[in-house]
Amino acid sequence: MIQKAKEILQKTFGYNEFRPLQGDAIENILNKRDSLVIMPTGGGKSLCYQIPAMLFNGLTVVVSPLISLMKDQVEQLEEFGVPALYLNSTLTPEQYRQNVNRLRAGEAKLLYLAPETLMMEPTRQLLSELTLDCFTIDEAHCISEWGHDFRPEYRQLAQVRKDFSDAVCVALTATATPRVRDDIQQILEMKDSDRFVASFDRKNLVLRVVDKENPLDQILDFLYTRPKQSGIIYCFSRRQVDELYSDLKHEGHSVLPYHAGLMEGERTRNQEAFIRDDVNIIVATIAFGMGINKPDVRYVIHHDMPQNIESYYQQIGRAGRDGINADCMLLYSYSDKQKIQYFINQKEGTEKEVAEKHLDALLNYLDYGKCRRKPLINYFGEEYDKKDCGMCDNCLRQKDDLQDFTVQAQKYMSCIARTEQLYGAYHIADILRGSEAKKIKQNGHDKLSTYGIGIEWSKNQWIQLSRLLIRNGYLEKDQNHGSLLITDQGKEVLKGNERVMGVLDRTKTTADGEARPRTSSDVEKKYNEHLFEELRKKRKELADERDIPPYVIFPDTTLIEMSYYYPMNEDSLIAIYGVGSSKLKKYGDDFLPMIREFCKKNNLEERTRGLDKKVSKHSSGKKHHRVGEEYNSGKTIDHLAEQFGVKKVTILSNLKKYLDEGYSLEPGGFLDASSLSERKKDEVFASMEKVGPELLKPIYEELDKTVDYNELRILQLAYMAQNGE
Ligand code: ADP
Ligand code: ZN
């Protein structure tokens, strides 16, 4: 049986392997053993019942509260050539009748139902005439009062389930708390059932927490590097949504808002536009997301702090369902924390207690100095024992980025001590900077020995230092007054027993200067973006003709593989991810000729799997040749400086010489080495375009001296490498 299941996975769905636990769950279900399947969003729950449904003789009923998703799910199945239907209140009476007739005629393997529909007498009557082999309950956490989405009508499912005692029962959810899991099994009386709990580590999500400073600019910097990609930006309030939406629109971004204050029609339209790739960005409150099945959401930004870890996890979970890397960036500010605290203070009793616990857990995550996956995954009761995930800001930050701030920390903390730990971060910064503010004079703080000893830094830098000290556990904020308190660990710094190492500026929203997150494969790194764009356009055209979302035709992953392997015939096309026999028949003739023509025009050949060769290079022995070759093999400028025991600027001049001799260099390494935002980089390139790239001084002047020479030297090389000069 499981062999047959695998065949369906490959032939119908076009996937090579089962994901962890899918195979086990499917086998269990095929053996008619009740199963509870718990996987994170995007984990691949649907296949767990869809594949058995295709192997059972009778019908599989799928109960789901997400009416808006049913159409999407059925369309997706039909594209794969799996006969499926749905019954819910969105159908016209005529469509409803038609679907009932098709069911009676045995034309469907899967039937999606809203719980209300299932409870209606005619539906139960209808089902009793049919053979039911599998009774599936999606979003099963809705059955539990302990879940975040309790729906009373779900309680009655237990009763209905008894009508079909011969059918195997499958319950699925992405909710992880043990309490809810127990509830599901108990209420559905799945006595003898087996649990399949997948890991909640979403490995392809890159997690970042960034200090919020100028959120609009920070978000613009981020978006600049991701044109044409789909993303969601979550805000705390409707007002914030409207404001950010109009700012982004004003900047020329393809964006729409979504919140409960909009008319229902507009909300639906905006959501639909996002799903169909008519718009790239949705700015939304937490109202957005339930019932979004879009697999290619490439980023989720939190403009404001989320309420708690559970909703944060759910929201970032909407990114990267297709398994390709996706970015999750949270803008963190102390005043957001205070806002949430304010709301919590309005509450009472246990409700307040619970909310406070949630906030603590969230803050623990935000302030965590090591791998972020640990606090996140631990929260869901799972151990995380890897040290370095390579996919969160803390792990990606290179060791050399850590700087020693012991001296400044000592100044800062002794100023706190001298003012008896009664003041907040801003006041301490003012004292250190010798401010003339009234509050300083009134308190006699201009008489302190620490008054004015911190002129060398801006106020902003001192504030950033205070955040670093809090993050690293040297300082604590007084819960009630916000004044800074020195911890025992902090006292060690004052005594000179401990050094303070860290990163001061955590406001960058683009990953310049960090190590690259690992990409899953060569395919993702090296696919042909031009072909990808052409295929994407074709996909959008086909989708609009058929009135379905583009991803239902093929997910991005499929187009990316096409743009890497260049399949020229049906045999190689079917080997591509997500291409099964039905889609091959439907779309082969749309995509194959495009790929062939593209390859012909660009002199490209089909790539065979597993045969990517690495070309080895030999060296002439001259130092700048060695530097050039090592650089091209992927080493960073910093690495080379260390390896050759010289300064960075020497490496840069070696590389310049190499270029000047007519050799080529990869521009990517220079771009990575620059710490400017992409937006600023392009400004620099525009100046080079204008005054020429050779001499740095005119470029420096052209940019109003806003970019220093070191940066210009790096970008000069990037520019020349790119333009083959
Ligand atoms: P969930 O319901 O758990 O949120 P889905 O069932 O929607 O997740 O699956 C998420 C994505 O992963 C879908 O695009 C699906 O086609 C894909 N997928 C599922 N199983 C596999 C597999 N074994 N191999 C490749 N892709 C898969
Ligand atoms: Zn990590």
Side-chain angles (χ1 to χ4, degrees):
M1 273 298 241
I2 192 68
Q3 204 44 47
K4 282 213 179 109
K6 186 135 189 211
E7 238 176 83
I8 293 179
L9 178 77
Q10 291 166 345
K11 287 213 178 114
T12 304
F13 292 97
Y15 306 142
N16 279 331
E17 296 289 338
F18 282 122
R19 295 218 180 121
L21 297 185
Q22 275 179 334
D24 297 341
I26 288 172
E27 187 163 19
N28 207 55
I29 295 165
L30 286 172
N31 289 329
K32 290 260 175 148
R33 289 184 54 86
D34 289 353
S35 309
L36 174 58
V37 179
I38 299 161
M39 290 181 182
T41 312
K45 286 186 284 298
S46 323
L47 283 189
C48 295
Y49 63 84
Q50 287 166 347
I51 290 183
M54 293 177 70
L55 289 166
F56 286 136
N57 286 323
L59 184 69
T60 293
V61 164
V62 186
V63 185
S64 162
L66 304 172
I67 294 185
S68 58
L69 263 189
M70 283 182 193
K71 186 158 159 279
D72 194 76
Q73 279 163 326
V74 167
E75 278 167 356
Q76 291 201 39
L77 284 170
E78 280 177 345
E79 287 298 312
F80 283 117
V82 180
L85 288 172
Y86 66 97
L87 291 177
N88 65 33
S89 52
T90 66
L91 294 172
T92 63
E94 179 53 29
Q95 289 171 323
Y96 203 101
R97 243 190 332 270
Q98 257 177 14
N99 280 357
V100 169
N101 288 340
R102 289 177 60 193
L103 271 176
R104 287 218 167 90
E107 284 177 26
K109 290 259 112 190
L110 287 120
L111 169 65
Y112 286 83
L113 285 175
E116 316 69 88
T117 319
L118 173 64
M119 246 61 89
M120 291 184 325
E121 196 41 46
T123 320
R124 291 174 76 166
Q125 179 59 35
L126 170 71
L127 292 180
S128 70
E129 295 164 27
L130 307 167
T131 322
L132 228 73
D133 269 329
C134 179
F135 188 69
T136 295
I137 297 163
D138 205 1
E139 312 290 338
H141 56 273
C142 295
I143 217 164
S144 165
E145 279 169 296
W146 291 92
H148 53 84
D149 196 21
F150 173 56
R151 305 195 183 212
E153 69 274 18
Y154 250 61
R155 277 291 157 96
Q156 297 165 41
L157 290 178
Q159 197 49 44
V160 182
R161 153 139 188 56
K162 290 203 178 108
D163 294 355
F164 309 104
S165 49
D166 287 343
V168 59
C169 184
V170 182
L172 309 113
T173 178
T175 297
T177 58
R179 181 90 202 218
V180 175
R181 294 176 196 174
D182 292 341
D183 257 14
I184 296 172
Q185 271 176 312
Q186 200 198 343
I187 295 167
L188 286 174
E189 295 182 27
M190 300 169 73
K191 288 187 208 86
D192 213 16
S193 67
D194 300 291
R195 285 186 188 190
F196 299 88
V197 187
S199 165
F200 272 68
D201 181 17
R202 295 279 313 278
K203 291 194 172 58
N204 63 320
L205 300 184
V206 182
L207 308 173
R208 282 206 173 81
V209 177
V210 166
D211 286 336
K212 177 146 112 184
E213 216 167 66
N214 294 303
L216 179 60
D217 266 335
Q218 289 175 297
I219 287 176
L220 286 174
D221 277 348
F222 179 91
L223 296 179
Y224 191 81
T225 59
R226 285 158 179 83
K228 294 191 193 145
Q229 295 187 351
S230 295
I232 307 171
I233 307 178
Y234 281 109
C235 299
F236 191 71
S237 65
R238 297 175 190 180
R239 194 182 50 78
Q240 184 63 60
V241 168
D242 290 333
E243 199 178 307
L244 184 61
Y245 155 69
S246 72
D247 285 342
L248 292 180
K249 184 148 186 72
H250 183 76
E251 292 285 334
H253 283 285
S254 157
V255 57
L256 282 172
Y258 190 104
H259 57 67
L262 300 175
M263 301 285 279
E264 200 190 323
E266 187 176 359
R267 275 205 319 258
T268 318
R269 267 200 311 282
N270 293 359
Q271 171 167 331
E272 193 76 353
F274 181 64
I275 286 172
R276 303 213 165 183
D277 290 346
D278 290 325
V279 67
N280 291 336
I281 307 165
I282 286 278
V283 182
T285 57
I286 53 166
F288 182 77
M290 259 301 216
I292 293 287
N293 220 352
K294 193 172 166 53
D296 56 355
V297 175
R298 290 271 69 82
Y299 57 85
V300 168
I301 299 177
H302 282 85
H303 177 278
D304 306 298
M305 224 160 105
Q307 271 112 330
N308 52 52
I309 290 212
E310 212 161 337
S311 49
Y312 170 71
Y313 182 82
Q314 219 177 20
Q315 286 150 11
I316 62 173
R318 295 182 180 126
R321 277 172 174 238
D322 53 12
I324 304 177
N325 282 3
D327 284 289
C328 307
M329 182 180 79
L330 186 153
L331 298 176
Y332 175 28
S333 81
Y334 186 68
S335 63
D336 281 356
K337 187 205 139 183
Q338 280 173 316
K339 233 187 277 177
I340 294 187
Q341 189 71 58
Y342 173 83
F343 282 108
I344 291 177
N345 290 343
Q346 317 279 307
K347 301 183 185 201
E348 282 175 351
T350 30
E351 207 191 344
K352 182 171 176 184
E353 240 170 72
V354 170
E356 239 146 28
K357 268 208 189 97
H358 281 162
L359 179 62
D360 281 349
L362 180 65
L363 291 174
N364 177 43
Y365 170 77
L366 296 176
D367 291 331
Y368 206 69
K370 298 193 192 104
C371 181
R372 292 206 190 273
R373 287 193 146 65
K374 198 174 166 64
L376 187 62
I377 304 210
N378 284 356
Y379 184 81
F380 295 108
E382 192 180 323
E383 280 301 316
Y384 188 77
D385 38 25
K386 262 191 250 132
K387 248 181 131 166
D388 179 347
C389 74
M391 292 284 279
C392 73
D393 51 355
N394 290 334
C395 291
L396 286 167
R397 210 164 275 138
Q398 285 155 346
K399 298 252 158 27
D400 352 336
D401 288 349
L402 293 186
Q403 285 180 25
D404 190 328
F405 295 113
T406 312
V407 175
Q408 287 88 348
Q410 284 167 340
K411 285 186 186 178
Y412 197 85
M413 288 198 275
S414 56
C415 192
I416 294 175
R418 297 252 147 82
T419 49
E420 276 147 38
Q421 313 194 72
L422 289 172
Y423 296 87
Y426 286 85
H427 189 74
I428 302 293
D430 280 341
I431 300 176
L432 288 167
R433 294 202 19 90
S435 153
E436 309 270 331
K438 219 160 103 198
K439 192 174 167 198
I440 302 264
K441 301 243 156 125
Q442 273 171 355
N443 289 301
H445 290 164
D446 52 346
K447 308 279 175 335
L448 292 172
S449 60
T450 49
Y451 182 74
I453 61 165
I455 304 282
E456 75 272 21
W457 266 9
S458 69
K459 183 158 172 178
N460 200 19
Q461 282 174 304
W462 287 114
I463 300 299
Q464 286 175 344
L465 179 72
S466 74
R467 290 186 193 136
L468 169 68
L469 295 175
I470 293 171
R471 267 200 311 275
N472 290 10
Y474 299 121
L475 293 179
E476 250 169 26
K477 246 182 200 168
D478 182 277
Q479 287 289 338
N480 300 316
H481 305 100
S483 50
L484 295 173
L485 311 173
I486 301 170
T487 64
D488 287 345
Q489 202 189 339
K491 286 179 192 143
E492 294 303 307
V493 175
L494 277 176
K495 286 188 215 149
N497 293 336
E498 183 157 338
R499 306 206 71 78
V500 176
M501 305 292 292
V503 180
L504 203 57
D505 186 356
R506 293 207 313 170
T507 60
K508 285 213 179 75
T509 54
T510 48
D512 314 291
E514 283 178 1
R516 271 173 198 280
R518 61 176 160 67
T519 26
S520 352
S521 65
D522 244 23
V523 181
E524 261 180 61
K525 271 183 269 179
K526 297 192 187 148
Y527 69 94
N528 188 312
E529 290 175 30
H530 300 288
L531 178 57
F532 177 75
E533 277 311 315
E534 286 189 22
L535 298 176
R536 236 169 87 105
K537 263 194 218 125
K538 183 80 198 167
R539 176 179 68 176
K540 174 71 177 139
E541 232 171 74
L542 293 169
D544 286 347
E545 272 168 30
R546 287 166 176 72
D547 202 22
I548 50 179
Y551 62 77
V552 172
I553 295 192
F554 284 130
D556 280 1
T557 327
T558 306
L559 302 190
I560 285 175
E561 283 211 354
M562 289 181 184
S563 314
Y564 178 81
Y565 289 111
Y566 310 125
M568 300 278 175
N569 53 45
E570 295 203 343
D571 282 345
S572 31
L573 187 57
I574 196 134
I576 297 285
Y577 174 95
V579 184
S581 49
S582 156
K583 290 197 178 180
L584 176 72
K585 233 183 354 220
K586 271 195 189 142
Y587 302 117
D589 290 341
D590 292 301
F591 288 91
L592 276 176
M594 284 184 74
I595 300 172
R596 282 194 213 110
E597 191 179 331
F598 183 89
C599 290
K600 202 165 140 206
K601 219 167 57 198
N602 296 288
N603 240 333
L604 296 165
E605 275 176 37
E606 180 163 342
R607 214 190 282 252
T608 25
R609 282 170 198 258
L611 284 178
D612 307 333
K613 270 182 255 142
K614 283 215 175 90
V615 189
S616 67
K617 290 180 190 143
H618 56 85
S619 184
S620 74
K622 280 195 195 144
K623 183 170 156 228
H624 66 281
H625 284 190
R626 287 209 321 273
V627 173
E629 280 154 18
E630 295 267 353
Y631 169 87
N632 273 342
S633 78
K635 297 218 168 116
T636 63
I637 313 268
D638 283 333
H639 188 134
L640 291 172
E642 202 179 297
Q643 180 181 341
F644 287 90
V646 294
K647 290 214 171 82
K648 256 166 78 168
V649 55
T650 313
I651 294 294
L652 293 176
S653 72
N654 274 302
L655 291 172
K656 176 113 193 324
K657 198 163 163 196
Y658 188 74
L659 263 183
D660 288 343
E661 285 178 16
Y663 295 98
S664 61
L665 289 173
E666 286 279 331
F670 298 119
L671 295 172
D672 287 349
S674 162
S675 66
L676 300 182
S677 74
E678 295 297 313
R679 247 188 336 151
K680 195 75 194 169
K681 278 181 205 163
D682 277 357
E683 222 178 275
V684 174
F685 292 144
S687 309
M688 293 184 176
E689 193 72 40
K690 196 162 159 208
V691 301
E694 276 299 335
L695 297 173
L696 294 183
K697 183 128 193 292
I699 303 169
Y700 184 68
E701 300 291 337
E702 176 68 24
L703 290 161
D704 293 333
K705 309 185 180 171
T706 52
V707 179
D708 70 38
Y709 276 102
N710 281 332
E711 280 292 342
L712 290 181
R713 234 168 250 132
I714 293 171
L715 291 177
Q716 178 189 43
L717 284 168
Y719 183 90
M720 292 176 159
Q722 220 151 18
N723 295 289
E725 288 185 45

